[in-house]
Amino acid sequence: MSGHDHDHDHGAPAIPEGTDAFPAEVVARLEQDAKEIIGRYPRPRSSLLPLLHLVQSEEGHVSRAGMRFCADQLGITLAEVNAVATFYTMYRRRPGGDYQVGVCTNTLCAVMGGDEIFAALKEHLDVGNNETTEDGKVTLEHVECNAACDFAPVVMVNWEFFDNQTPDSAKRLVDDLRLGNDVAPTRGPASLCTWKQASRVLAGFDDGRAGEGVQAAGPSLAGLTVARERGWTAPDPANLPRPAQGEEETE
């Protein structure tokens, strides 16, 4: 997800932490988007996840005021919204940086150097897990899987892939982010969006750039390449082999 739709990354004054409700002008503006989101679902309550992304695109995290907005739109309790917002790690519960840098420390990435990368970035940025640099640019987190094991070790920035990383390349990456230099993901669009902009895309408002750039490459396509070279095709679902008579069928 990327793009620089500044209309939706507005510089409105920050809403004081602990405020129980958004100001009236914010509610009026977000209600238009909320109505569109809720209309996508046969049951309004099913829209809670994208609504949480919507309020996160407003403040950069899901505050009590944001949860109150979601509860009011859906006619559910604040406790019900809080239960969902605190379950999923994709929702921040406190202010963070413009760029969420996630280092995969799951099995394959860890074996290939993910743990070393995460340790190097903590020292380089002088932050711990889920902490933000003093300039407000970068929030660092370790993640269990970036779903890109064939490019391990992988770092993600606002959900965009940076493949085959090393401690040195990861440090250059975060330095560029903090300096405001142009940074291009390994796959996907040619530039990064901010955390707020990414949240708006996750709320279901397309920035028009989802299909940009290389979507799959290298190791991800190795099996397909071999299959084409050897003329392999998938079995026809309508003509699958059946067990021989007398053999027990298994699910």
Side-chain angles (χ1 to χ4, degrees):
M1 284 153 289
S2 67
H4 296 280
D5 184 358
H6 294 289
D7 289 340
H8 299 296
D9 194 20
H10 35 76
I15 298 168
E17 189 63 25
T19 302
D20 283 340
F22 285 149
E25 63 272 18
V26 174
V27 171
R29 173 164 45 78
L30 290 183
E31 276 183 337
Q32 299 178 47
D33 292 334
K35 182 178 180 179
E36 179 178 337
I37 291 171
I38 294 169
R40 301 171 191 158
Y41 297 87
R43 297 181 61 188
R45 188 182 181 124
S46 299
S47 66
L48 179 54
L49 294 181
L51 281 178
L52 286 168
H53 283 298
L54 176 66
V55 297
Q56 184 161 255
S57 74
E58 179 69 24
E59 298 184 272
H61 68 292
V62 178
S63 66
R64 184 177 178 84
M67 289 190 288
R68 172 66 67 189
F69 174 84
C70 294
D72 290 345
Q73 296 304 304
L74 298 177
I76 60 179
T77 67
L78 187 62
E80 289 173 301
V81 177
N82 183 68
V84 174
T86 55
F87 181 82
Y88 293 103
T89 58
M90 58 192 174
Y91 302 118
R92 288 179 178 169
R93 294 309 316 282
R94 60 180 184 268
D98 294 332
Y99 299 99
Q100 184 92 3
V101 175
V103 181
C104 184
T105 55
N106 212 334
T107 307
L108 187 55
C109 278
V111 168
M112 298 297 287
D115 287 336
E116 184 181 359
I117 291 171
F118 186 58
L121 288 182
K122 286 196 293 184
E123 180 179 2
H124 185 66
L125 296 171
D126 193 26
V127 296
N129 184 44
N130 282 325
E131 293 183 355
T132 302
T133 54
E134 290 185 0
D135 58 10
K137 294 294 185 181
V138 172
T139 298
L140 180 67
E141 68 168 343
H142 80 80
V143 294
E144 285 302 313
C145 186
N146 278 329
C149 300
D150 43 352
F151 293 98
V154 176
V155 172
M156 293 193 85
V157 181
N158 294 350
W159 313 119
E160 297 289 359
F161 289 108
F162 291 81
D163 304 322
N164 302 310
Q165 292 292 296
T166 66
D168 286 341
S169 67
K171 286 189 284 188
R172 288 194 298 271
L173 169 61
V174 296
D175 285 346
D176 283 338
L177 293 173
R178 299 181 74 184
L179 291 170
N181 296 336
D182 291 336
V183 174
T186 308
R187 289 171 283 138
S191 61
L192 286 172
C193 62
T194 67
W195 175 257
K196 289 182 180 181
Q197 290 165 344
S199 294
R200 184 169 175 82
V201 173
L202 289 171
F205 296 96
D206 187 8
D207 64 1
R209 302 184 63 194
E212 287 184 7
V214 174
Q215 303 298 307
S220 299
L221 302 177
L224 179 61
T225 301
V226 171
R228 286 174 173 170
E229 290 174 350
R230 301 186 181 184
W232 295 344
T233 58
D236 181 357
N239 191 31
L240 294 175
R242 309 293 295 179
Q245 188 173 3
E247 290 185 3
E248 182 178 354
E249 293 191 21
T250 58
E251 291 296 330

